[in-house]
């Protein structure tokens, strides 16, 4: 199994200076390859009206050649660069897995194509677009599971469509309780999406006529969340997959679903209600603690597990159900990002950084999990949501257009994976 060759201690990996040299030269080669292929596909003249933050592609690739640093790169520190030479997206609107509401090119969103012309450039290294064929070859006989909410599905679909374009022979099936999954038959590489909103099992709860501790606190209706029981959709995933990508977050800050008064989250541990009752953010901490140790106890020593940080929403002028919208056609400027997301402004989308505080706290000290930090890079991308193109009653400023931002998440995911690999 390919995963057997993977390495887990970041520290050890990075201290191998010879590996770093090798890694840098691979990056260097990859960047040159990328620059070359962009050049080849450059057919149309640049559109000068679109060039906020534009910097030349050529000067960017030079930076890595100078061997910036051999410490691990902080991929979240960077900027989006408009690259008008990008002619075609990684996959087209015909990829069947793209949910209609996310298919911005298919729905004629005015900037649908422009979204993919922005490239994330970390300040101290490069993040090349991953090569799907190389990936399929490198990760032969590997199972990869995405476990989480619809934002993880968005990322899963982006990966599927990119791979499908270069290897079309797939078997569709539902491995280990997954909502959907595919095996790329020529490579025996399986990717699957396990749907779960809270990671923990939950369901409706109503007061029992015989009474109980929650009834005595006058609770009538709500949701029972078992903080120590994984939802059945993914309980088998840790022992099945070689690589896992988890997320949770959006549903914890969703008062329209878990109304704090009419249908609050009621937490249970070891089958008993947690009393005094606790608010959702405290429940999230309990769930994270239990789910992390569940995963740590079920995975093989060579399994690689990621926790993906929170995907930011970009509602302006109100929340999703208050007429909020995301009309931007270009990424935000750094000061606009701070305005929208800084904790001290406590704006509509403030949960992005709040969720991350909980994740970082819970994962501190976990030797098993690696962080896949996509939050800051995504905070700029107010332009990359379906918005009105989603075809729903409300603007969708939460999910991402495909192709789009989650393709860059996959570049980051694969860059991390390749960093862990021990050189042969
Ligand atoms: C998008 O535009 C094409 C070509 O003008 C048209 O055929 C198609 O119906 C449009 N799709 C949507 C969802 O509006
Ligand atoms: C495919 O990969 C799985 C591991 O992910 C392995 O158990 C299985 O034997 C492989 N199948 C073939 C035909 O090599
Ligand atoms: C943030 O704003 C919400 C409502 O928009 C409010 O309920 C909450 O108390 C505020 N939090 C802080 C820390 O100010």
């Amino acid at each position: 199994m390919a995963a057997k060759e993977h390495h887990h201690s970041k520290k050890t990996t990075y201290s191998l200076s010879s590996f770093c040299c090798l890694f840098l030269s691979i990056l260097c080669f990859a960047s040159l390859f990328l620059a070359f292929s962009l050049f080849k596909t450059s057919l149309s003249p640049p559109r000068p009206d679109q060039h906020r933050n534009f910097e030349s592609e050529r000067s960017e690739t030079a930076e890595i050649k100078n061997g910036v640093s051999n410490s691990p790169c902080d991929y979240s520190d960077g900027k989006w660069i408009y690259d008008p030479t990008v002619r075609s997206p990684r996959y087209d609107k015909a990829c069947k897995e793209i949910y209609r509401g996310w298919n911005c090119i298919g729905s004629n969103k005015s900037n649908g194509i422009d979204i993919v012309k922005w490239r994330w450039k970390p300040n101290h290294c490069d993040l090349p677009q991953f090569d799907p064929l190389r990936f399929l070859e490198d990760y032969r006989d590997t199972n990869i599971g995405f476990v989480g909410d619809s934002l993880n599905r968005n990322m899963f679909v982006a990966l599927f469509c990119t791979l499908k374009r270069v290897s079309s022979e797939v078997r569709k099936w539902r491995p280990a309780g997954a909502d959907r999954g595919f095996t790329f038959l020529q490579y025996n590489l399986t990717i699957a999406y396990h749907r779960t909103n809270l990671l923990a099992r939950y369901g409706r709860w109503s007061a029992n006529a015989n009474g109980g501790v929650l009834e005595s606190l006058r609770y009538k209706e709500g949701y029972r969340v078992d903080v120590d029981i994984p939802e059945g959709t993914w309980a088998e995933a840790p022992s099945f997959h070689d690589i896992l990508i988890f997320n949770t977050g959006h549903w914890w800050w969703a008062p329209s679903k878990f109304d704090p008064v009419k249908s609050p989250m009621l937490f249970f541990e070891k089958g008993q209600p947690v009393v005094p009752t606790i608010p959702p953010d405290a429940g999230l901490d309990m769930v994270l603690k239990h789910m992390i140790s569940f995963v740590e106890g079920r995975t093989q020593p060579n399994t690689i597990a990621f926790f993906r940080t929170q995907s930011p929403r970009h509602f302006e002028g109100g929340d999703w159900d208050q007429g909020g919208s995301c009309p931007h056609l270009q990424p935000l400027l750094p000061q606009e990002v701070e305005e929208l997301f800084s904790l001290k402004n406590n704006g509509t989308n403030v949960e992005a950084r709040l969720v991350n505080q909980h994740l970082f706290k819970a994962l501190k000290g976990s030797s098993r999990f690696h962080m896949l930090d996509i939050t800051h890079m995504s905070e700029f991308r107010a332009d990359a949501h379906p918005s009105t193109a989603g075809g729903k009653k409300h603007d969708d400023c939460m999910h991402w257009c495909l192709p789009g931002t989650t393709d860059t998440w996959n570049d980051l995911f694969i860059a991390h994976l390749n960093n862990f690999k021990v050189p042969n």
Side-chain angles (χ1 to χ4, degrees), residues 10-313:
K10 250 186 179 171
K11 276 203 198 87
T12 328
T13 309
Y14 290 122
S15 71
L16 297 170
S17 61
S18 62
F19 168 58
C20 287
C21 290
L22 176 68
F23 175 60
L24 280 178
S25 37
I26 291 169
L27 257 189
C28 199
F29 176 78
S31 325
L32 286 173
F33 178 80
L34 177 68
F36 180 63
S37 47
L38 291 174
F39 183 69
K40 271 203 307 194
T41 51
S42 160
L43 298 168
S44 75
R47 287 155 61 187
D49 55 320
Q50 310 270 356
H51 294 176
R52 200 146 65 143
N53 294 345
F54 174 73
E55 284 171 41
S56 137
E57 168 76 24
R58 317 289 165 244
S59 68
E60 287 303 324
T61 47
E63 204 174 298
I64 195 75
K65 270 185 280 184
N66 300 335
V68 184
S69 151
N70 45 8
S71 62
C73 176
D74 178 0
Y75 289 101
S76 69
D77 172 26
K79 55 184 172 295
W80 289 95
I81 291 167
Y82 188 76
D83 184 354
T85 64
V86 175
R87 258 297 276 172
S88 60
R90 301 180 202 216
Y91 45 88
D92 64 35
K93 62 184 180 189
C95 178
K96 285 212 199 77
E97 276 299 294
I98 306 178
Y99 170 65
R100 198 164 56 96
W102 304 343
N103 198 331
C104 294
I105 296 175
S107 345
N108 304 329
K109 190 179 184 229
S110 70
N111 68 334
I113 293 274
D114 238 34
I115 286 171
V116 304
K117 298 189 181 178
W118 292 92
R119 189 168 57 78
W120 179 248
K121 175 63 184 82
N123 286 335
H124 301 291
C125 57
D126 232 357
L127 180 59
Q129 190 168 320
F130 84 93
D131 173 349
L133 264 183
R134 173 95 188 265
F135 178 76
L136 287 163
E137 272 157 20
D138 286 352
Y139 294 90
R140 234 172 236 285
D141 304 323
T142 304
N143 300 325
I144 303 176
F146 291 81
V147 178
D149 60 30
S150 57
L151 274 297
N152 246 15
R153 177 170 167 195
N154 192 289
M155 183 183 179
F156 159 82
V157 173
L159 181 60
F160 171 77
C161 292
T162 308
L163 299 179
K164 179 80 173 0
R165 189 173 182 183
V166 298
S167 184
S168 58
E169 240 184 273
V170 296
R171 173 159 90 97
K172 188 171 180 173
W173 62 303
R174 303 177 58 174
D179 185 57
R180 53 226 301 114
F182 299 92
T183 299
F184 291 85
L185 294 171
Q186 279 172 286
Y187 300 92
N188 189 26
L189 178 145
T190 297
I191 66 173
Y193 166 62
H194 298 260
R195 182 190 163 83
T196 175
N197 295 332
L198 303 177
L199 297 181
R201 189 178 78 183
Y202 74 97
R204 290 229 60 125
W205 178 90
S206 317
N208 187 316
N210 301 331
V213 61
L214 291 173
E215 287 80 352
S216 70
L217 294 167
R218 297 172 190 255
Y219 285 98
K220 295 198 167 60
E221 292 289 332
Y223 286 90
R224 169 178 172 152
V225 182
D226 283 280
V227 298
D228 46 1
I229 305 179
E231 197 164 17
T233 51
W234 70 272
E236 300 299 320
S239 46
F240 180 83
H241 294 291
D242 307 299
I243 299 169
L244 292 150
I245 301 131
F246 288 88
N247 98 293
T248 191
H250 289 287
W251 289 76
W252 295 91
W253 269 255
S256 53
K257 168 95 178 163
F258 302 108
D259 185 302
V261 178
K262 283 188 239 143
S263 52
M265 288 179 165
L266 300 165
F267 297 98
F268 284 66
E269 191 176 27
K270 293 188 185 146
Q272 296 301 316
V274 174
V275 281
T277 56
I278 53 172
D281 63 337
L284 171 59
D285 289 337
M286 293 186 81
V287 166
L288 288 173
K289 188 184 89 178
H290 283 290
M291 296 303 114
I292 288 164
S293 74
F294 175 81
V295 173
E296 289 177 343
R298 296 301 172 98
T299 44
Q300 302 297 314
N302 53 3
T303 307
I304 299 181
F306 290 93
F307 216 106
R308 179 175 66 65
T309 62
Q310 181 68 358
S311 175
R313 307 178 308 144

Side-chain angles (χ1 to χ4, degrees), residues 378-399:
S378 311
E379 284 177 345
F380 291 90
R381 301 307 305 272
D383 59 313
H385 298 286
S387 179
T388 52
K392 295 209 202 102
K393 217 165 77 198
H394 307 283
D395 281 21
D396 184 350
C397 305
M398 176 164 90
H399 299 101

